[in-house]
Structure formats: structure tokens, C-alpha cells
Short mmCIF file of all heavy atoms in Angstrom, two decimals:
data_model
loop_
_atom_site.label_atom_id
_atom_site.label_comp_id
_atom_site.label_asym_id
_atom_site.label_seq_id
_atom_site.Cartn_x
_atom_site.Cartn_y
_atom_site.Cartn_z
N ILE R 1 120.38 139.36 39.66
CA ILE R 1 121.79 139.66 39.50
C ILE R 1 122.19 140.81 40.43
O ILE R 1 123.23 140.74 41.07
CB ILE R 1 122.12 139.99 38.03
CG1 ILE R 1 121.94 138.74 37.18
CG2 ILE R 1 123.54 140.53 37.92
CD1 ILE R 1 122.14 138.97 35.71
N ILE R 2 121.38 141.85 40.53
CA ILE R 2 121.69 142.98 41.40
C ILE R 2 121.73 142.53 42.85
O ILE R 2 122.63 142.91 43.60
CB ILE R 2 120.69 144.13 41.20
CG1 ILE R 2 120.88 144.73 39.80
CG2 ILE R 2 120.87 145.20 42.27
CD1 ILE R 2 119.86 145.74 39.41
N ARG R 3 120.78 141.69 43.26
CA ARG R 3 120.75 141.20 44.64
C ARG R 3 122.01 140.37 44.93
O ARG R 3 122.61 140.48 45.99
CB ARG R 3 119.50 140.36 44.88
CG ARG R 3 119.41 139.88 46.31
CD ARG R 3 118.06 139.24 46.56
NE ARG R 3 117.98 138.89 47.96
CZ ARG R 3 117.68 137.70 48.41
NH1 ARG R 3 117.42 136.73 47.56
NH2 ARG R 3 117.63 137.45 49.69
N GLN R 4 122.42 139.53 43.98
CA GLN R 4 123.61 138.71 44.17
C GLN R 4 124.85 139.59 44.28
O GLN R 4 125.70 139.37 45.15
CB GLN R 4 123.78 137.72 43.02
CG GLN R 4 124.98 136.81 43.21
CD GLN R 4 125.15 135.84 42.05
OE1 GLN R 4 124.43 135.89 41.06
NE2 GLN R 4 126.12 134.97 42.16
N LEU R 5 124.98 140.61 43.44
CA LEU R 5 126.12 141.52 43.50
C LEU R 5 126.14 142.26 44.83
O LEU R 5 127.19 142.44 45.43
CB LEU R 5 126.08 142.50 42.32
CG LEU R 5 127.26 143.46 42.22
CD1 LEU R 5 128.58 142.69 42.15
CD2 LEU R 5 127.11 144.36 41.01
N LEU R 6 124.96 142.67 45.31
CA LEU R 6 124.87 143.34 46.60
C LEU R 6 125.33 142.40 47.71
O LEU R 6 126.09 142.80 48.59
CB LEU R 6 123.45 143.83 46.86
CG LEU R 6 123.21 144.51 48.20
CD1 LEU R 6 124.06 145.75 48.34
CD2 LEU R 6 121.74 144.86 48.36
N THR R 7 124.90 141.15 47.65
CA THR R 7 125.31 140.17 48.66
C THR R 7 126.82 139.99 48.65
O THR R 7 127.45 139.99 49.70
CB THR R 7 124.62 138.81 48.42
OG1 THR R 7 123.21 139.00 48.53
CG2 THR R 7 125.07 137.77 49.42
N GLU R 8 127.44 139.86 47.47
CA GLU R 8 128.89 139.70 47.41
C GLU R 8 129.60 140.96 47.90
O GLU R 8 130.62 140.87 48.57
CB GLU R 8 129.35 139.34 46.00
CG GLU R 8 129.35 137.85 45.74
CD GLU R 8 127.98 137.30 45.39
OE1 GLU R 8 127.09 138.08 45.05
OE2 GLU R 8 127.80 136.07 45.47
N SER R 9 129.06 142.14 47.60
CA SER R 9 129.65 143.39 48.09
C SER R 9 129.59 143.45 49.61
O SER R 9 130.56 143.83 50.27
CB SER R 9 128.93 144.59 47.48
OG SER R 9 129.11 144.63 46.10
N LEU R 10 128.45 143.06 50.17
CA LEU R 10 128.30 143.05 51.63
C LEU R 10 129.19 141.97 52.25
O LEU R 10 129.75 142.17 53.34
CB LEU R 10 126.84 142.85 52.02
CG LEU R 10 125.91 144.01 51.68
CD1 LEU R 10 124.45 143.61 51.92
CD2 LEU R 10 126.27 145.25 52.46
N LEU R 11 129.33 140.84 51.57
CA LEU R 11 130.21 139.78 52.06
C LEU R 11 131.65 140.28 52.09
O LEU R 11 132.37 140.07 53.08
CB LEU R 11 130.09 138.53 51.19
CG LEU R 11 131.01 137.36 51.55
CD1 LEU R 11 130.79 136.91 52.99
CD2 LEU R 11 130.79 136.20 50.58
N LEU R 12 132.07 140.96 51.05
CA LEU R 12 133.42 141.50 51.01
C LEU R 12 133.64 142.48 52.17
O LEU R 12 134.67 142.44 52.84
CB LEU R 12 133.68 142.18 49.66
CG LEU R 12 135.08 142.75 49.45
CD1 LEU R 12 136.14 141.68 49.60
CD2 LEU R 12 135.17 143.41 48.08
N ALA R 13 132.65 143.32 52.43
CA ALA R 13 132.75 144.26 53.55
C ALA R 13 132.85 143.51 54.87
O ALA R 13 133.65 143.85 55.75
CB ALA R 13 131.55 145.20 53.55
N ALA R 14 132.05 142.44 55.03
CA ALA R 14 132.07 141.66 56.27
C ALA R 14 133.38 140.90 56.45
O ALA R 14 133.76 140.56 57.56
CB ALA R 14 130.88 140.70 56.30
N LEU R 15 134.07 140.66 55.36
CA LEU R 15 135.37 140.01 55.43
C LEU R 15 136.49 140.99 55.77
O LEU R 15 137.65 140.62 55.82
CB LEU R 15 135.69 139.30 54.11
CG LEU R 15 134.85 138.07 53.82
CD1 LEU R 15 134.97 137.67 52.36
CD2 LEU R 15 135.24 136.93 54.75
N GLY R 16 136.14 142.23 55.99
CA GLY R 16 137.13 143.24 56.34
C GLY R 16 137.53 144.12 55.18
O GLY R 16 138.45 144.91 55.27
N GLY R 17 136.84 143.97 54.05
CA GLY R 17 137.12 144.80 52.89
C GLY R 17 138.19 144.21 51.99
O GLY R 17 138.87 143.24 52.35
N ALA R 18 138.34 144.81 50.84
CA ALA R 18 139.28 144.32 49.83
C ALA R 18 140.72 144.33 50.34
O ALA R 18 141.51 143.46 49.98
CB ALA R 18 139.16 145.14 48.55
N ASP R 19 141.06 145.27 51.19
CA ASP R 19 142.42 145.33 51.72
C ASP R 19 142.73 144.15 52.64
O ASP R 19 143.90 143.81 52.82
CB ASP R 19 142.65 146.64 52.47
CG ASP R 19 142.69 147.84 51.54
OD1 ASP R 19 142.92 147.65 50.33
OD2 ASP R 19 142.49 148.97 52.03
N ASN R 20 141.71 143.56 53.24
CA ASN R 20 141.93 142.44 54.15
C ASN R 20 141.95 141.09 53.43
O ASN R 20 142.56 140.15 53.91
CB ASN R 20 140.86 142.42 55.25
CG ASN R 20 141.22 141.52 56.40
OD1 ASN R 20 142.34 141.56 56.90
ND2 ASN R 20 140.28 140.69 56.83
N VAL R 21 141.28 140.99 52.30
CA VAL R 21 141.17 139.72 51.58
C VAL R 21 142.38 139.53 50.67
O VAL R 21 142.66 140.35 49.81
CB VAL R 21 139.86 139.66 50.77
CG1 VAL R 21 139.79 138.38 49.94
CG2 VAL R 21 138.66 139.76 51.69
N ARG R 22 143.10 138.43 50.88
CA ARG R 22 144.29 138.11 50.08
C ARG R 22 143.96 137.19 48.91
O ARG R 22 144.52 137.34 47.83
CB ARG R 22 145.35 137.46 50.96
CG ARG R 22 145.81 138.33 52.10
CD ARG R 22 146.63 139.49 51.57
NE ARG R 22 147.13 140.32 52.66
CZ ARG R 22 146.86 141.61 52.79
NH1 ARG R 22 146.12 142.21 51.91
NH2 ARG R 22 147.35 142.30 53.79
N SER R 23 143.08 136.21 49.13
CA SER R 23 142.69 135.31 48.04
C SER R 23 141.37 134.65 48.36
O SER R 23 140.97 134.56 49.52
CB SER R 23 143.77 134.24 47.81
OG SER R 23 143.85 133.37 48.92
N VAL R 24 140.68 134.23 47.30
CA VAL R 24 139.40 133.54 47.42
C VAL R 24 139.48 132.28 46.56
O VAL R 24 139.82 132.36 45.38
CB VAL R 24 138.23 134.42 46.92
CG1 VAL R 24 136.92 133.66 46.96
CG2 VAL R 24 138.15 135.72 47.70
N GLU R 25 139.18 131.15 47.18
CA GLU R 25 139.24 129.88 46.45
C GLU R 25 137.99 129.06 46.75
O GLU R 25 137.76 128.66 47.89
CB GLU R 25 140.48 129.11 46.91
CG GLU R 25 140.68 127.81 46.18
CD GLU R 25 141.91 127.07 46.69
OE1 GLU R 25 142.81 127.70 47.25
OE2 GLU R 25 141.93 125.85 46.52
N PRO R 26 137.15 128.84 45.73
CA PRO R 26 135.98 127.99 45.93
C PRO R 26 136.43 126.54 46.17
O PRO R 26 137.37 126.07 45.55
CB PRO R 26 135.20 128.09 44.62
CG PRO R 26 135.82 129.18 43.84
CD PRO R 26 137.19 129.38 44.38
N ALA R 27 135.76 125.88 47.10
CA ALA R 27 136.06 124.48 47.40
C ALA R 27 134.76 123.79 47.76
O ALA R 27 134.26 123.95 48.86
CB ALA R 27 137.05 124.38 48.56
N SER R 28 134.21 123.07 46.81
CA SER R 28 132.95 122.36 47.01
C SER R 28 131.84 123.34 47.39
O SER R 28 131.46 124.16 46.58
CB SER R 28 133.14 121.25 48.05
OG SER R 28 132.00 120.46 48.14
N SER R 29 131.36 123.29 48.60
CA SER R 29 130.24 124.15 49.01
C SER R 29 130.69 125.34 49.86
O SER R 29 129.87 126.00 50.47
CB SER R 29 129.22 123.33 49.79
OG SER R 29 129.81 122.84 50.98
N ARG R 30 131.98 125.61 49.86
CA ARG R 30 132.48 126.70 50.70
C ARG R 30 133.51 127.53 49.95
O ARG R 30 133.99 127.14 48.89
CB ARG R 30 133.07 126.16 51.99
CG ARG R 30 134.34 125.39 51.82
CD ARG R 30 134.80 124.77 53.13
NE ARG R 30 136.09 124.14 52.99
CZ ARG R 30 136.33 122.97 52.43
NH1 ARG R 30 135.32 122.28 51.92
NH2 ARG R 30 137.54 122.47 52.36
N LEU R 31 133.85 128.66 50.56
CA LEU R 31 134.92 129.50 50.04
C LEU R 31 136.05 129.50 51.06
O LEU R 31 135.81 129.75 52.24
CB LEU R 31 134.43 130.93 49.84
CG LEU R 31 133.29 131.13 48.86
CD1 LEU R 31 132.82 132.58 48.89
CD2 LEU R 31 133.72 130.74 47.46
N ARG R 32 137.26 129.22 50.61
CA ARG R 32 138.45 129.37 51.45
C ARG R 32 139.00 130.76 51.16
O ARG R 32 139.37 131.06 50.03
CB ARG R 32 139.50 128.33 51.10
CG ARG R 32 139.24 127.00 51.74
CD ARG R 32 140.37 126.07 51.45
NE ARG R 32 140.20 125.61 50.07
CZ ARG R 32 140.57 124.43 49.64
NH1 ARG R 32 141.16 123.59 50.44
NH2 ARG R 32 140.36 124.08 48.41
N ILE R 33 139.02 131.58 52.18
CA ILE R 33 139.41 132.97 51.99
C ILE R 33 140.60 133.27 52.90
O ILE R 33 140.50 133.20 54.12
CB ILE R 33 138.23 133.91 52.30
CG1 ILE R 33 137.04 133.54 51.41
CG2 ILE R 33 138.65 135.36 52.11
CD1 ILE R 33 135.74 134.17 51.81
N CYS R 34 141.73 133.60 52.27
CA CYS R 34 142.91 134.01 53.02
C CYS R 34 142.79 135.51 53.29
O CYS R 34 142.47 136.28 52.38
CB CYS R 34 144.18 133.71 52.25
SG CYS R 34 144.49 131.95 52.11
N VAL R 35 143.02 135.88 54.52
CA VAL R 35 142.87 137.28 54.93
C VAL R 35 144.13 137.75 55.65
O VAL R 35 144.91 136.95 56.17
CB VAL R 35 141.64 137.46 55.86
CG1 VAL R 35 140.35 137.18 55.11
CG2 VAL R 35 141.74 136.58 57.09
N ALA R 36 144.31 139.06 55.70
CA ALA R 36 145.43 139.63 56.45
C ALA R 36 145.18 139.47 57.94
O ALA R 36 146.10 139.20 58.71
CB ALA R 36 145.61 141.11 56.08
N SER R 37 143.93 139.64 58.36
CA SER R 37 143.59 139.53 59.78
C SER R 37 142.19 138.96 59.96
O SER R 37 141.22 139.50 59.44
CB SER R 37 143.65 140.91 60.44
OG SER R 37 143.13 140.87 61.75
N THR R 38 142.09 137.87 60.71
CA THR R 38 140.77 137.31 60.99
C THR R 38 140.00 138.20 61.96
O THR R 38 138.77 138.11 62.02
CB THR R 38 140.87 135.89 61.57
OG1 THR R 38 141.72 135.90 62.72
CG2 THR R 38 141.41 134.91 60.54
N ARG R 39 140.68 139.08 62.67
CA ARG R 39 139.99 140.01 63.59
C ARG R 39 139.08 140.98 62.84
O ARG R 39 138.12 141.48 63.41
CB ARG R 39 141.00 140.80 64.41
CG ARG R 39 141.71 139.95 65.43
CD ARG R 39 142.65 140.78 66.25
NE ARG R 39 143.32 139.95 67.23
CZ ARG R 39 144.09 140.41 68.16
NH1 ARG R 39 144.31 141.71 68.25
NH2 ARG R 39 144.67 139.60 69.01
N ALA R 40 139.39 141.24 61.59
CA ALA R 40 138.58 142.15 60.79
C ALA R 40 137.34 141.49 60.21
O ALA R 40 136.48 142.16 59.65
CB ALA R 40 139.43 142.75 59.66
N VAL R 41 137.23 140.18 60.34
CA VAL R 41 136.11 139.42 59.78
C VAL R 41 134.93 139.46 60.75
O VAL R 41 135.07 139.14 61.92
CB VAL R 41 136.53 137.96 59.49
CG1 VAL R 41 135.35 137.14 59.01
CG2 VAL R 41 137.66 137.92 58.48
N ASP R 42 133.77 139.87 60.23
CA ASP R 42 132.55 139.96 61.04
C ASP R 42 131.68 138.72 60.75
O ASP R 42 130.86 138.73 59.84
CB ASP R 42 131.81 141.24 60.70
CG ASP R 42 130.60 141.51 61.57
OD1 ASP R 42 130.12 140.57 62.25
OD2 ASP R 42 130.11 142.65 61.55
N SER R 43 131.88 137.68 61.55
CA SER R 43 131.16 136.42 61.33
C SER R 43 129.65 136.58 61.43
O SER R 43 128.90 135.97 60.66
CB SER R 43 131.63 135.37 62.33
OG SER R 43 132.99 135.08 62.12
N ALA R 44 129.19 137.39 62.36
CA ALA R 44 127.74 137.60 62.53
C ALA R 44 127.15 138.24 61.28
O ALA R 44 126.07 137.84 60.81
CB ALA R 44 127.47 138.46 63.75
N ALA R 45 127.83 139.21 60.70
CA ALA R 45 127.34 139.86 59.48
C ALA R 45 127.31 138.88 58.32
O ALA R 45 126.39 138.90 57.50
CB ALA R 45 128.21 141.07 59.14
N ILE R 46 128.30 138.00 58.25
CA ILE R 46 128.34 137.00 57.18
C ILE R 46 127.15 136.06 57.31
O ILE R 46 126.48 135.76 56.32
CB ILE R 46 129.68 136.22 57.21
CG1 ILE R 46 130.82 137.18 56.82
CG2 ILE R 46 129.63 135.02 56.27
CD1 ILE R 46 132.21 136.61 57.01
N ARG R 47 126.84 135.62 58.51
CA ARG R 47 125.68 134.74 58.72
C ARG R 47 124.37 135.45 58.37
O ARG R 47 123.45 134.84 57.82
CB ARG R 47 125.66 134.23 60.15
CG ARG R 47 126.67 133.15 60.41
CD ARG R 47 126.51 132.51 61.78
NE ARG R 47 127.69 131.75 62.13
CZ ARG R 47 128.72 132.22 62.82
NH1 ARG R 47 128.72 133.45 63.28
NH2 ARG R 47 129.76 131.45 63.07
N LYS R 48 124.29 136.73 58.69
CA LYS R 48 123.07 137.50 58.38
C LYS R 48 122.83 137.61 56.88
O LYS R 48 121.71 137.83 56.44
CB LYS R 48 123.14 138.90 58.99
CG LYS R 48 122.91 138.90 60.48
CD LYS R 48 122.93 140.31 61.02
CE LYS R 48 122.75 140.31 62.53
NZ LYS R 48 122.81 141.67 63.08
N LEU R 49 123.89 137.45 56.09
CA LEU R 49 123.75 137.49 54.63
C LEU R 49 123.18 136.18 54.08
O LEU R 49 122.95 136.05 52.90
CB LEU R 49 125.11 137.76 53.98
CG LEU R 49 125.67 139.16 54.19
CD1 LEU R 49 127.10 139.24 53.68
CD2 LEU R 49 124.79 140.18 53.49
N GLY R 50 122.97 135.20 54.97
CA GLY R 50 122.39 133.94 54.54
C GLY R 50 123.40 132.85 54.29
O GLY R 50 123.05 131.77 53.82
N MET R 51 124.67 133.12 54.61
CA MET R 51 125.67 132.08 54.48
C MET R 51 125.41 131.02 55.55
O MET R 51 124.92 131.32 56.62
CB MET R 51 127.09 132.65 54.64
CG MET R 51 127.44 133.74 53.66
SD MET R 51 127.30 133.24 51.93
CE MET R 51 126.51 134.68 51.24
N ARG R 52 125.73 129.80 55.26
CA ARG R 52 125.40 128.69 56.16
C ARG R 52 126.31 128.59 57.37
O ARG R 52 125.98 127.95 58.35
CB ARG R 52 125.41 127.39 55.38
CG ARG R 52 124.33 127.40 54.31
CD ARG R 52 124.33 126.12 53.52
NE ARG R 52 123.26 126.19 52.52
CZ ARG R 52 122.91 125.19 51.78
NH1 ARG R 52 123.52 124.02 51.91
NH2 ARG R 52 121.95 125.32 50.90
N GLY R 53 127.47 129.22 57.29
CA GLY R 53 128.39 129.18 58.42
C GLY R 53 129.71 129.84 58.10
O GLY R 53 130.01 130.14 56.95
N VAL R 54 130.48 130.07 59.15
CA VAL R 54 131.80 130.68 59.03
C VAL R 54 132.71 129.95 60.01
O VAL R 54 132.33 129.72 61.15
CB VAL R 54 131.78 132.18 59.39
CG1 VAL R 54 133.15 132.80 59.22
CG2 VAL R 54 130.75 132.93 58.58
N ALA R 55 133.90 129.60 59.56
CA ALA R 55 134.86 128.95 60.45
C ALA R 55 136.23 129.58 60.23
O ALA R 55 136.65 129.79 59.09
CB ALA R 55 134.94 127.46 60.15
N VAL R 56 136.89 129.89 61.33
CA VAL R 56 138.27 130.38 61.24
C VAL R 56 139.15 129.13 61.19
O VAL R 56 139.26 128.40 62.16
CB VAL R 56 138.62 131.27 62.45
CG1 VAL R 56 140.08 131.70 62.38
CG2 VAL R 56 137.70 132.49 62.49
N ALA R 57 139.73 128.90 60.02
CA ALA R 57 140.51 127.68 59.79
C ALA R 57 141.97 127.84 60.22
O ALA R 57 142.63 126.87 60.54
CB ALA R 57 140.44 127.29 58.32
N ALA R 58 142.46 129.06 60.21
CA ALA R 58 143.84 129.36 60.60
C ALA R 58 143.91 130.85 60.91
O ALA R 58 142.93 131.57 60.73
CB ALA R 58 144.79 129.00 59.47
N ALA R 59 145.07 131.29 61.35
CA ALA R 59 145.22 132.70 61.72
C ALA R 59 144.99 133.64 60.54
O ALA R 59 144.66 134.81 60.74
CB ALA R 59 146.61 132.93 62.31
N ASP R 60 145.14 133.12 59.34
CA ASP R 60 144.97 133.96 58.15
C ASP R 60 143.97 133.38 57.15
O ASP R 60 144.00 133.72 55.98
CB ASP R 60 146.32 134.17 57.47
CG ASP R 60 146.91 132.87 56.92
OD1 ASP R 60 146.42 131.78 57.29
OD2 ASP R 60 147.85 132.96 56.12
N CYS R 61 143.07 132.52 57.63
CA CYS R 61 142.15 131.86 56.70
C CYS R 61 140.79 131.62 57.34
O CYS R 61 140.71 131.15 58.47
CB CYS R 61 142.75 130.52 56.28
SG CYS R 61 141.76 129.63 55.08
N VAL R 62 139.75 131.96 56.60
CA VAL R 62 138.38 131.65 57.04
C VAL R 62 137.70 130.83 55.95
O VAL R 62 138.02 130.96 54.77
CB VAL R 62 137.54 132.92 57.34
CG1 VAL R 62 138.10 133.67 58.52
CG2 VAL R 62 137.44 133.83 56.14
N HIS R 63 136.78 129.99 56.37
CA HIS R 63 135.95 129.23 55.44
C HIS R 63 134.53 129.75 55.60
O HIS R 63 134.01 129.82 56.71
CB HIS R 63 135.97 127.74 55.76
CG HIS R 63 137.27 127.09 55.44
ND1 HIS R 63 137.40 125.74 55.38
CD2 HIS R 63 138.49 127.60 55.15
CE1 HIS R 63 138.66 125.43 55.06
NE2 HIS R 63 139.34 126.55 54.95
N VAL R 64 133.92 130.14 54.49
CA VAL R 64 132.53 130.57 54.49
C VAL R 64 131.73 129.49 53.79
O VAL R 64 131.99 129.18 52.62
CB VAL R 64 132.36 131.93 53.77
CG1 VAL R 64 130.89 132.32 53.71
CG2 VAL R 64 133.19 133.01 54.45
N ILE R 65 130.80 128.89 54.52
CA ILE R 65 129.98 127.83 53.95
C ILE R 65 128.82 128.49 53.21
O ILE R 65 127.99 129.16 53.81
CB ILE R 65 129.45 126.85 55.03
CG1 ILE R 65 130.56 126.00 55.66
CG2 ILE R 65 128.49 125.85 54.39
CD1 ILE R 65 131.63 126.59 56.35
N VAL R 66 128.83 128.32 51.90
CA VAL R 66 127.87 129.01 51.02
C VAL R 66 126.78 128.06 50.57
O VAL R 66 125.61 128.41 50.50
CB VAL R 66 128.60 129.61 49.80
CG1 VAL R 66 127.61 130.25 48.84
CG2 VAL R 66 129.67 130.59 50.23
N GLY R 67 127.15 126.85 50.21
CA GLY R 67 126.21 125.91 49.61
C GLY R 67 126.55 125.72 48.15
O GLY R 67 127.67 126.01 47.72
N PRO R 68 125.59 125.26 47.35
CA PRO R 68 125.85 124.94 45.95
C PRO R 68 126.33 126.13 45.11
O PRO R 68 126.93 125.94 44.06
CB PRO R 68 124.50 124.44 45.43
CG PRO R 68 123.70 124.10 46.62
CD PRO R 68 124.23 124.92 47.75
N ALA R 69 126.09 127.33 45.55
CA ALA R 69 126.47 128.52 44.78
C ALA R 69 127.88 129.01 45.11
O ALA R 69 128.26 130.12 44.74
CB ALA R 69 125.47 129.64 45.02
N ALA R 70 128.68 128.19 45.78
CA ALA R 70 130.01 128.63 46.21
C ALA R 70 130.90 129.06 45.04
O ALA R 70 131.58 130.08 45.13
CB ALA R 70 130.69 127.53 47.02
N ALA R 71 130.90 128.31 43.96
CA ALA R 71 131.75 128.66 42.82
C ALA R 71 131.36 130.01 42.23
O ALA R 71 132.22 130.85 41.95
CB ALA R 71 131.69 127.58 41.75
N ALA R 72 130.07 130.25 42.07
CA ALA R 72 129.60 131.53 41.52
C ALA R 72 129.91 132.68 42.48
O ALA R 72 130.35 133.76 42.06
CB ALA R 72 128.10 131.47 41.24
N ALA R 73 129.70 132.46 43.78
CA ALA R 73 129.98 133.50 44.77
C ALA R 73 131.47 133.81 44.80
O ALA R 73 131.88 134.98 44.89
CB ALA R 73 129.50 133.06 46.16
N GLY R 74 132.30 132.78 44.69
CA GLY R 74 133.75 132.99 44.66
C GLY R 74 134.18 133.79 43.45
O GLY R 74 135.02 134.69 43.56
N ALA R 75 133.60 133.49 42.30
CA ALA R 75 133.93 134.23 41.09
C ALA R 75 133.55 135.70 41.22
O ALA R 75 134.31 136.60 40.81
CB ALA R 75 133.23 133.60 39.88
N LYS R 76 132.38 135.98 41.79
CA LYS R 76 131.94 137.37 41.97
C LYS R 76 132.85 138.11 42.95
O LYS R 76 133.20 139.27 42.74
CB LYS R 76 130.49 137.43 42.46
CG LYS R 76 129.50 137.04 41.42
CD LYS R 76 129.48 138.03 40.30
CE LYS R 76 128.46 137.63 39.25
NZ LYS R 76 128.55 138.42 38.04
N LEU R 77 133.25 137.43 44.03
CA LEU R 77 134.16 138.06 45.00
C LEU R 77 135.50 138.38 44.32
O LEU R 77 136.07 139.46 44.54
CB LEU R 77 134.40 137.15 46.19
CG LEU R 77 133.43 137.25 47.34
CD1 LEU R 77 133.79 136.24 48.43
CD2 LEU R 77 133.40 138.65 47.94
N GLN R 78 135.99 137.46 43.51
CA GLN R 78 137.25 137.70 42.80
C GLN R 78 137.12 138.89 41.86
O GLN R 78 138.05 139.70 41.76
CB GLN R 78 137.69 136.44 42.07
CG GLN R 78 138.16 135.36 43.03
CD GLN R 78 138.37 134.01 42.36
OE1 GLN R 78 137.84 133.75 41.28
NE2 GLN R 78 139.13 133.16 43.01
N GLU R 79 135.99 139.01 41.19
CA GLU R 79 135.75 140.16 40.31
C GLU R 79 135.76 141.46 41.10
O GLU R 79 136.34 142.46 40.66
CB GLU R 79 134.41 140.03 39.59
CG GLU R 79 134.38 139.02 38.48
CD GLU R 79 132.99 138.89 37.85
OE1 GLU R 79 132.20 139.86 37.91
OE2 GLU R 79 132.70 137.83 37.31
N LEU R 80 135.13 141.46 42.27
CA LEU R 80 135.11 142.66 43.11
C LEU R 80 136.51 143.03 43.57
O LEU R 80 136.83 144.22 43.71
CB LEU R 80 134.20 142.46 44.32
CG LEU R 80 132.71 142.42 44.04
CD1 LEU R 80 131.94 142.00 45.30
CD2 LEU R 80 132.22 143.78 43.55
N LEU R 81 137.34 142.05 43.82
CA LEU R 81 138.69 142.32 44.30
C LEU R 81 139.58 142.98 43.25
O LEU R 81 140.48 143.74 43.58
CB LEU R 81 139.35 141.03 44.79
CG LEU R 81 138.80 140.48 46.10
CD1 LEU R 81 139.35 139.08 46.36
CD2 LEU R 81 139.12 141.41 47.26
N VAL R 82 139.32 142.69 41.98
CA VAL R 82 140.15 143.28 40.92
C VAL R 82 139.57 144.57 40.37
O VAL R 82 140.23 145.26 39.61
CB VAL R 82 140.41 142.28 39.76
CG1 VAL R 82 141.20 141.09 40.25
CG2 VAL R 82 139.14 141.86 39.09
N SER R 83 138.34 144.91 40.77
CA SER R 83 137.75 146.14 40.22
C SER R 83 138.00 147.33 41.11
O SER R 83 138.51 147.26 42.18
CB SER R 83 136.26 145.97 40.03
OG SER R 83 135.59 145.68 41.25
#
């Protein structure tokens, strides 16, 4: 549990921090994340966390390919955003 929380905290940082993340929506094996700026997203850092991939879907949206744990990772990210 501690390792998973650390991973989500580092993922949030790689996404540009809580101020950059507007919403997180799990979708199958990925997370659709709306951001204020995709320039603040560190794709290399996200991949180093073990995520399967990162795609900039729009000027304000990135998809992080997580795998089967996408729903759980999305829920943890949402918890971090409100805390």
C-alpha cells in the first residue's frame, strides 16, 4: 500500500502537480487526465514509474496507459487531489 501511494504521489508530480491536474477518469486500462498544460507533464518520469505509456490526446488531455490497475490508480490520484 505504501509503495502504491508513493507511485501515485510521484505520478501526480510527473503530471505537473495538483495545480495542473483538472480531472482524472479511469477508462479501461488507462487514465484520461485533463490538465491545465501538457507542457508541465513529464512523460519520461511517468514511464520510469512503470506506466506502460503516455499519449498527449489533446492540448489539455493526456492518457496514461496503466494496465489492469487503472481504476485503482485513478481512485488514488483522485484522493490525492482532494487532500
